[in-house]
Amino acid sequence: MPGVLKRTDIRGDSEAVRIAVGEKSGAMADDGPRKRKAAEMLNGGAQLNGDSPATNGVYANGVVADPAMSPDRLATTVESIANQLPPEITHITEGYLPLSRLITRLTQDTFNGLTEVINEMAEMEPSQKNGVPQQNGAGSSQASQVNIQKKTRLWDFAHDQRAKFIKALVISQWSRQSEAVSKVIDLNSWIGTQKGLYKGAISWVGELKRMSVDMKVPSLDLTTALEALSTGKAAWLPDLGYLPPEPLSPKQLLKVLRTINTLLTIRLNLHEKIPPYFKNFSVSSGRVTFRVEEEFELDLSIADEDPSSQFFFIDFRFLFSPCMKGLPEGRVRDEIEGRTNDILMREGLGGCYDYLHDLVLTHKIQILTNQAEELARGRWSESLLIERVHRSVVVQYWLHRPGGKNWVEIGIKRGKPEKRLFPSATAKPRIALRWHRNGKEVLDHGIQVDLGDLSMEWILKEVITMHTNYIFRETKRRLRESPIYSKKLLSLKHRASTTEPTDCSLRVQVTGSTEVKIVQEPISGAFALVPPSHLHSRVERDLNNLRDPAVEASFRIANLRCASATEQAEERIRMVGWHSLRTYSPSQETVKKLFGAGVMRLSFFKHRCWNEDWILALTTSMSGDSWWVVETRNTAKASEPIDITRGPNQPFQRALEVPIAASDLLVVDPTYSVLTTLENTAAALIAQYADFQELNHLGLHRIQHKPTGRPDKLPIPDLFLYFNPEKVRQKEPLLPSILITPQHQRRLPWCHEMVKLSFRGLSRSLKSVITVVCGRLVTPIPNIDRLTANMDASLAFHPTSGAFSFRLDTPVGQSCVPDVLERFQRIERLVRFLEIIRRHDLQCETISLSDLTFTYATDPTSGALAATISFASNMPMGISFAQQNPHIRIQDFLTSLLNADRGFEYVTVVLQNTLPLLRAFVTLESTERKPGSEVQILPRSATWYRVRYENPALIYEVRLRQRNDQAFWYSISIASDSPSAKGKSTDTTARTWENICHDKGPGWQGMSDGIKAELEGVEELILRVDEALREISTENSGSAEQNNETQNSAKQRKDAEVVVLD
């Protein structure tokens, strides 16, 4: 039974089956078509490929119902029969659509069509003339025509839609019987499948019979074989009676061959029109051999002396490798020989060459194709794509590289006719190569295919070598356009090859000590950088992702150079105390605004000893490496990336390029000495910028001059200043005044107005900038070098020219101008002090910018008398003396005078004028006196003194006066308010003072109301007055002792008269 059609109206139901088989067979109830079939058979229906009436209990398959059979055995038998039934017919469900979808789409289509028809009918209006409708005549005729068109259009639409709905009606009626039709479809499909299987079986049997023909071995003719082997002939074979030709002797054979050679030579030279490509031929051994280099050799001969007879094919040999030299016996040789002889008969030698030439070209293409396919299966696997297009082969290489495709096309090219000796000659077809690089054809590529030794691998290597050379050559050319490579600060070396791609390389010197070698793997086209490193790996990845390396690789290599230079600079700049800053991340717009265009890498560095407002920046580009000092804001947070484009709170204020004399060394070899020079130059540049700002604020004019022959070799120019004291005080009144006296407000009388500031790098501590300030005195001071020999080494004077210089150490980022102004004030004071000392013939002991010690007199007991003037920065001047110096008494008064106008000169005069007086005061204080007779000296000022005696009671004053430019001392007496200064002692003291006022002595003379003394005579006067007063004190002391004795005796007598009562 080939199949069973599924049925739903099988007689008998599951209940009948359960009744027939009992309770144990309940699991078989209505379990599918097979179970239903079993139930039907159980009811006695005969089944033979369908339903047919039969005797109850008799089965057509030979199963006889036994009335005595038990229900269990009957159920087992029925189940085994059901399992042997064939599988069900496949139910076809593909391509079925619901009827509702068809009706919905038909309705929607009808609605859309009706809408379109209504719109078209609305646009059909009768034509109007001059905008006025036509009422009669032609107008009404046109209107009737439009109505007819509208009706026709509507009728056509209704007719079409009616046809569609009729079809839908037919389909709907058919759908009512879809179940039966579906079964017919399933049955038809099954029948078609069975027919196909039958036809396939018949075809397979026929093919098997055809293939078995070659396998059939015919029966051996043993009878004929035995007769032939024993007698040498077979009796049944007929004898045709042919007479065999007599064999030629060697002499005859040689004669025949020579005759053929002569005929061939005459024919080829006189009668035959030989094609241009057959000009290379030779005649020997009765044949002519045509030789076409790198293609083939052809042997031809003749069979007739007639020059018009055809040539005949003798032999054919290939003249290239890899290929067999000759044609072996067989079908191929027979085919070529037959075709060649046919062409020789019809077309002659020209047609023969065209045929064999095309044959060779096609064979060469096939050989190259086979070689390419073998390469693709070998070590070039997954890197080549081979495609045959007609009589050419296309080989695509570097399949996995992005960008345009790269392929080589080798085929047969007809070409254009060339100018030849024979005008009738046509162009020779040849094997040509077309190369497409990155999707574009390369013209004039110069690749020559060796047609004598075919090798697809060598062709690919040559093409890939030229491609690699092109990439490296273009990359080198683009890199050479940059200044660092065009000036040959760094080297570029392109090693080229013509046949081996692995020999091609590009060596790029990225820093003075680092060189990278770029190579390209020929099979995959991947780039590699040697030696490997973390920077090189990133560049490799970028190069291998480029769509056009010849154009874009130079930019990646430039990035590598800048990154390598930055990395090397970061490593070496740590040696001079810098550390890298990673928190700053300015935008491209900011970088372009601060550092200019073309910057590819930017790094920031900070020095631990420098001001936080200044950092160092390194910019690397293909124009060179540049260092910058960048001014920042302290308010910027260093813990987060900052962008200057945020607005007024931008962290970068300005950037100044650091000029370096050996700027090329920064690219080639940034050694420790070069970086040290860079550090010093950067510090000097920051200092100079701070000085510019301060000078602009003070309104002082400046000029710059590039120094020459300076030992430090810093490229920072010297700064020349023109001081204007009036503007300085107006701009900054808190600065120390450079001038002292009013008559010196317009110019500096003690030195020239131009002052030079020269920057000499950093100090040993690296925290401050060394600045040397140079000036020149208007009037040189003689022996100033001797006077300043013991002074601080930071200040130096020239003895004859009046030039002077001093050194300043200013913290990096701060201006030295305030220190220069303050130092000039101190130098001015020092110069003026030295001038006064020289004018007054004083002897200078020690000198510095903060104090001055000089000797103004010589004392017989104390020796040399010296004074020390201190004039520290931003502090009042002070004067100090030794403990034994007489002037220590008026030190405070002298300090006040020193800070007044023209103070030092006045103090020197006061020191000389008051020395005799103060020396006398020292003598008074050192004289031994009795108790109660002390002397008090009270200085009221440096030129006014009051002397007070206790016994006798007297007070007199000594003042320095001047008359007719002559200084003198004048002393007067002042009445004493002491209680002891009464009575007889007062009168005695008054008489004594009066006597002195009318007396005179060496250097002094009494006046009516006082005493006048010269500067040197005041000491004699003071001692004369003291002597007179001491005599009075002695007399007063004797009278006092006598009075004390009298009082003591009287007291004793009084005590004796007293009676003590018990």
Side-chain angles (χ1 to χ4, degrees):
M1 184 178 294
V4 177
L5 186 64
K6 185 177 179 181
R7 298 185 58 177
T8 58
D9 55 348
I10 300 295
R11 290 174 298 179
D13 52 5
S14 59
E15 186 65 26
V17 175
R18 283 196 297 270
I19 294 174
V21 301
E23 295 297 332
K24 293 184 179 180
S25 60
M28 297 173 55
D30 200 10
D31 200 11
R34 295 183 181 181
K35 303 300 185 294
R36 291 194 298 270
K37 190 70 175 179
E40 188 174 344
M41 294 170 62
L42 187 62
N43 289 330
Q47 303 297 324
L48 181 60
N49 293 332
D51 298 337
S52 60
T55 305
N56 189 18
V58 180
Y59 297 93
N61 289 332
V63 180
V64 181
D66 188 2
M69 184 179 297
S70 63
D72 294 340
R73 182 178 178 185
L74 180 60
T76 303
T77 303
V78 173
E79 185 176 359
S80 62
I81 295 173
N83 291 334
Q84 296 176 3
L85 294 178
E88 296 181 4
I89 296 177
T90 304
H91 182 57
I92 305 300
T93 58
E94 297 180 358
Y96 284 9
L97 295 176
L99 181 63
S100 59
R101 183 182 301 177
L102 176 64
I103 297 175
T104 301
R105 291 183 179 178
L106 181 60
T107 305
Q108 184 67 32
D109 180 70
T110 303
F111 177 77
N112 295 338
L114 181 59
T115 303
E116 184 178 354
V117 168
I118 293 174
N119 294 334
E120 292 180 1
M121 294 171 62
E123 294 176 358
M124 295 180 182
E125 296 293 340
S127 61
Q128 300 179 1
K129 187 175 182 180
N130 297 327
V132 179
Q134 301 293 327
Q135 298 296 331
N136 298 319
S140 58
S141 176
Q142 292 179 0
S144 61
Q145 292 292 334
V146 170
N147 292 333
I148 293 173
Q149 292 177 1
K150 289 181 179 181
K151 293 177 181 179
T152 304
R153 181 70 182 89
L154 185 59
W155 171 261
D156 293 339
F157 170 75
H159 183 270
D160 294 341
Q161 296 301 320
R162 178 177 176 277
K164 292 180 181 180
F165 275 96
I166 290 174
K167 294 178 181 179
L169 177 62
V170 173
I171 293 174
S172 64
Q173 292 177 354
W174 173 84
S175 64
R176 296 183 179 90
Q177 302 176 1
S178 60
E179 184 176 358
V181 174
S182 177
K183 292 181 181 181
V184 174
I185 293 174
D186 296 343
L187 184 59
N188 183 56
S189 175
W190 180 83
I191 293 173
T193 304
Q194 296 301 315
K195 289 181 179 180
L197 293 176
Y198 293 148
K199 291 181 180 179
I202 295 172
S203 177
W204 179 80
V205 171
E207 184 67 18
L208 180 62
K209 182 178 181 182
R210 187 185 65 79
M211 291 187 299
S212 63
V213 172
D214 298 334
M215 301 178 184
K216 183 178 180 181
V217 179
S219 301
L220 298 177
D221 189 1
L222 300 178
T223 303
T224 305
L226 181 60
E227 182 180 1
L229 291 175
S230 58
T231 62
K233 61 180 180 178
W236 59 272
L237 291 176
D239 186 4
L240 300 180
Y242 290 133
L243 298 177
E246 296 181 1
L248 295 177
S249 64
K251 186 176 181 180
Q252 293 175 342
L253 181 61
L254 180 61
K255 182 180 179 181
V256 172
L257 293 178
R258 287 178 177 176
T259 303
I260 297 175
N261 291 341
T262 303
L263 294 175
L264 288 173
T265 303
I266 295 173
R267 179 174 177 175
L268 292 175
N269 288 289
L270 299 179
H271 303 286
E272 194 72 30
K273 185 177 180 181
I274 303 176
Y277 311 110
F278 272 175
K279 291 298 182 180
N280 184 10
F281 65 89
S282 62
V283 178
S284 64
S285 301
R287 66 182 69 184
V288 57
T289 301
F290 294 99
R291 183 180 181 89
V292 180
E293 296 296 334
E294 298 182 344
E295 291 191 17
F296 62 88
E297 278 186 349
L298 176 63
D299 293 341
L300 300 178
S301 187
I302 56 176
D304 195 348
E305 296 180 359
D306 187 2
S308 61
S309 63
Q310 77 167 75
F311 285 96
F312 289 95
F313 178 89
I314 301 298
D315 198 4
F316 179 82
R317 294 174 297 277
F318 292 107
L319 295 181
F320 59 89
S321 61
C323 184
M324 55 185 177
K325 297 302 181 182
L327 294 177
E329 297 293 336
R331 180 179 177 182
V332 175
R333 181 182 178 87
D334 296 342
E335 179 70 21
I336 294 176
E337 182 178 355
R339 291 287 300 274
T340 303
N341 290 330
D342 183 59
I343 293 174
L344 285 172
M345 181 179 62
R346 291 184 289 103
E347 301 179 16
L349 293 178
C352 177
Y353 170 78
D354 293 339
Y355 166 68
L356 295 178
H357 179 65
D358 288 344
L359 174 65
V360 170
L361 295 183
T362 305
H363 187 45
K364 287 183 177 181
I365 296 297
Q366 184 61 40
I367 291 175
L368 292 176
T369 303
N370 296 337
Q371 291 178 350
E373 292 176 350
E374 191 169 339
L375 290 176
R377 290 190 296 267
R379 65 191 187 95
W380 293 70
S381 176
E382 299 183 359
S383 298
L384 296 179
L385 180 62
I386 297 94
E387 183 178 356
R388 278 298 297 267
V389 181
H390 302 298
R391 297 175 66 191
S392 62
V393 57
V394 178
V395 180
Q396 181 183 348
Y397 60 95
W398 294 352
L399 297 180
H400 303 294
R401 280 208 60 84
K405 296 181 180 180
N406 306 283
W407 72 87
V408 178
E409 181 180 354
I410 303 176
I412 300 174
K413 182 178 181 181
R414 293 292 177 184
K416 297 180 180 179
E418 301 177 0
K419 293 182 178 179
R420 298 182 180 275
L421 296 175
F422 298 91
S424 60
T426 58
K428 173 185 176 181
R430 64 187 186 277
I431 291 181
L433 183 145
R434 296 175 61 191
W435 177 26
H436 287 74
R437 182 181 60 206
N438 204 21
K440 299 179 181 178
E441 183 177 1
V442 180
L443 304 177
D444 300 330
H445 47 73
I447 301 175
Q448 299 295 332
V449 181
D450 188 0
L451 299 179
D453 186 8
L454 299 177
S455 176
M456 178 59 76
E457 185 173 8
W458 281 104
I459 294 174
L460 286 176
K461 283 186 176 181
E462 186 175 0
V463 171
I464 292 174
T465 300
M466 296 188 67
H467 196 164
T468 303
N469 286 332
Y470 166 74
I471 294 175
F472 289 161
R473 185 171 58 253
E474 285 296 311
T475 303
K476 179 182 177 181
R477 182 184 65 81
R478 293 175 183 274
L479 291 175
R480 186 70 73 182
E481 295 175 355
S482 59
I484 59 175
Y485 290 108
S486 61
K487 297 178 182 178
K488 297 185 178 180
L489 300 179
L490 299 176
S491 63
L492 284 172
K493 298 179 182 178
H494 174 211
R495 181 183 178 185
S497 176
T498 57
T499 57
E500 188 59 44
T502 56
D503 294 339
C504 302
S505 63
L506 179 63
R507 291 183 178 271
V508 182
Q509 187 181 11
V510 293
T511 63
S513 58
T514 306
E515 186 180 68
V516 59
K517 178 182 177 182
I518 305 174
V519 296
Q520 191 173 23
E521 203 276 323
I523 296 179
S524 63
F527 290 94
L529 273 67
V530 180
S533 67
H534 66 285
L535 287 178
H536 296 172
S537 62
R538 290 200 297 265
V539 177
E540 280 184 14
R541 184 173 59 253
D542 294 341
L543 291 178
N544 292 324
N545 291 330
L546 296 179
R547 301 184 64 85
D548 192 357
V551 178
E552 304 172 9
S554 58
F555 179 74
R556 299 301 189 278
I557 298 175
N559 274 334
L560 173 62
R561 194 219 73 84
C562 296
S564 301
T566 303
E567 186 179 51
Q568 183 186 53
E570 289 178 354
E571 291 177 356
R572 298 192 177 184
I573 203 169
R574 295 191 187 101
M575 297 186 299
V576 291
W578 294 83
H579 63 274
S580 178
L581 297 177
R582 305 291 184 182
T583 55
Y584 293 104
S585 180
S587 63
Q588 291 294 333
E589 180 182 357
T590 301
V591 172
K592 185 177 180 180
K593 180 179 179 181
L594 286 177
F595 308 106
V599 176
M600 304 183 72
R601 289 276 180 167
L602 177 61
S603 300
F604 296 97
F605 304 93
K606 178 68 179 176
H607 198 285
R608 55 184 176 82
C609 300
W610 284 22
N611 193 322
E612 295 182 355
D613 293 342
W614 292 93
I615 60 176
L616 194 65
L618 168 64
T619 59
T620 56
S621 65
M622 297 306 289
S623 300
D625 301 339
S626 302
W627 291 87
W628 306 71
V629 288
V630 182
E631 185 181 8
T632 62
R633 286 182 180 268
N634 289 331
T635 56
K637 295 182 180 179
S639 60
E640 59 182 4
I642 309 172
D643 191 352
I644 106 176
T645 58
R646 293 181 178 178
N649 295 326
Q650 56 184 1
F652 300 139
Q653 297 301 306
R654 60 192 53 84
L656 307 174
E657 186 174 3
V658 180
I660 302 176
S663 59
D664 295 345
L665 294 178
L666 290 177
V667 179
V668 179
D669 189 16
T671 59
Y672 178 81
S673 59
V674 173
L675 294 177
T676 302
T677 303
L678 167 68
E679 183 181 31
N680 293 334
T681 306
L685 181 63
I686 294 173
Q688 190 178 74
Y689 176 78
D691 294 341
F692 284 171
Q693 297 293 101
E694 188 67 24
L695 292 174
N696 291 335
H697 177 68
L698 297 176
L700 297 179
H701 182 62
R702 68 183 184 277
I703 59 174
Q704 287 181 307
H705 177 70
K706 187 176 182 180
T708 57
R710 205 165 67 183
D712 52 16
K713 298 181 181 180
L714 290 181
I716 300 298
D718 294 335
L719 191 62
F720 291 87
L721 309 181
Y722 289 94
F723 282 103
N724 189 333
E726 188 69 23
K727 289 185 177 181
V728 172
R729 280 194 305 276
Q730 291 177 0
K731 292 284 184 179
E732 198 66 38
L734 297 180
L735 284 176
S737 176
I738 301 176
L739 309 174
I740 297 178
T741 58
Q743 60 268 26
H744 298 146
Q745 290 182 359
R746 294 186 179 180
R747 60 185 298 273
L748 297 175
W750 61 279
C751 74
H752 292 281
E753 293 181 351
M754 181 175 289
V755 178
K756 182 177 75 171
L757 274 67
S758 179
F759 302 94
R760 299 301 177 87
L762 290 171
S763 63
R764 291 182 179 272
S765 64
L766 303 178
K767 296 182 180 180
S768 56
V769 179
I770 300 175
T771 306
V772 177
V773 184
C774 301
R776 186 181 297 273
L777 299 177
V778 175
T779 303
I781 300 176
N783 300 325
I784 192 172
D785 56 338
R786 182 181 59 81
L787 295 175
T788 59
N790 298 327
M791 194 176 57
D792 185 7
S794 63
L795 177 63
F797 288 89
H798 194 274
T800 57
S801 64
F804 66 92
S805 62
F806 57 88
R807 166 179 165 171
L808 291 176
D809 291 352
T810 309
V812 178
Q814 297 183 10
S815 174
C816 68
V817 173
D819 295 337
V820 171
L821 300 180
E822 185 269 337
R823 187 65 65 90
F824 263 82
Q825 181 191 31
R826 294 163 65 181
I827 294 177
E828 178 191 13
R829 290 175 179 175
L830 178 62
V831 171
R832 293 188 182 280
F833 290 168
L834 293 177
E835 179 65 25
I836 293 172
I837 289 174
R838 186 183 62 83
R839 189 167 60 248
H840 289 274
D841 295 329
L842 302 178
Q843 183 179 358
C844 185
E845 298 294 337
T846 61
I847 185 173
S848 68
L849 289 179
S850 58
D851 54 54
L852 172 69
T853 302
F854 63 94
T855 302
Y856 58 89
T858 303
D859 187 69
T861 58
S862 303
L865 300 179
T868 300
I869 306 295
S870 61
F871 41 92
S873 175
N874 297 327
M875 294 180 64
M877 292 187 295
I879 187 170
S880 60
F881 302 93
Q883 192 66 31
Q884 296 80 14
N885 196 309
H887 284 92
I888 197 172
R889 185 187 305 274
I890 60 172
Q891 179 175 334
D892 295 339
F893 295 111
L894 292 177
T895 300
S896 300
L897 292 176
L898 187 63
N899 288 284
D901 188 16
R902 304 186 62 174
F904 182 69
E905 186 172 7
Y906 186 63
V907 166
T908 56
V909 175
V910 170
L911 289 175
Q912 294 177 349
N913 292 342
T914 59
L915 179 58
L917 177 62
L918 296 178
R919 192 163 50 224
F921 287 160
V922 173
T923 303
L924 291 182
E925 291 178 343
S926 61
T927 302
E928 184 178 358
R929 302 177 186 276
K930 293 182 179 181
S933 300
E934 291 80 3
V935 178
Q936 297 179 0
I937 300 173
L938 305 174
R940 306 298 295 272
S941 69
T943 58
W944 181 13
Y945 302 89
R946 175 172 292 183
V947 182
R948 180 176 182 178
Y949 284 85
E950 294 292 337
N951 186 18
L954 177 65
I955 300 175
Y956 68 92
E957 292 181 348
V958 181
R959 288 191 178 187
L960 184 65
R961 296 185 178 182
Q962 186 176 1
R963 179 177 295 177
N964 297 329
D965 295 334
Q966 185 68 31
F968 61 91
W969 291 98
Y970 193 79
S971 177
I972 60 174
S973 175
I974 300 175
S976 176
D977 55 354
S978 175
S980 61
K982 301 268 178 93
K984 182 178 179 180
S985 62
T986 303
D987 296 337
T988 303
T989 302
R991 286 194 302 269
T992 301
W993 179 262
E994 185 177 355
N995 292 334
I996 295 174
C997 289
H998 290 83
D999 196 2
K1000 66 178 181 178
W1004 63 275
Q1005 182 179 1
M1007 308 295 288
S1008 59
D1009 56 349
I1011 306 170
K1012 176 183 177 182
E1014 297 178 358
L1015 297 179
E1016 296 297 332
V1018 69
E1019 183 176 3
E1020 183 65 24
L1021 172 62
I1022 296 301
L1023 296 179
R1024 174 70 181 82
V1025 173
D1026 181 68
E1027 181 181 0
L1029 293 178
R1030 278 192 292 111
E1031 292 177 357
I1032 298 175
S1033 176
T1034 302
E1035 293 177 359
N1036 292 339
S1037 298
S1039 299
E1041 289 178 358
Q1042 185 177 2
N1043 292 334
N1044 290 337
E1045 291 179 358
T1046 304
Q1047 291 178 359
N1048 289 336
S1049 62
K1051 183 177 181 181
Q1052 291 176 359
R1053 286 195 302 270
K1054 186 177 181 180
D1055 292 339
E1057 293 178 358
V1058 175
V1059 178
V1060 179
L1061 299 179
D1062 294 337

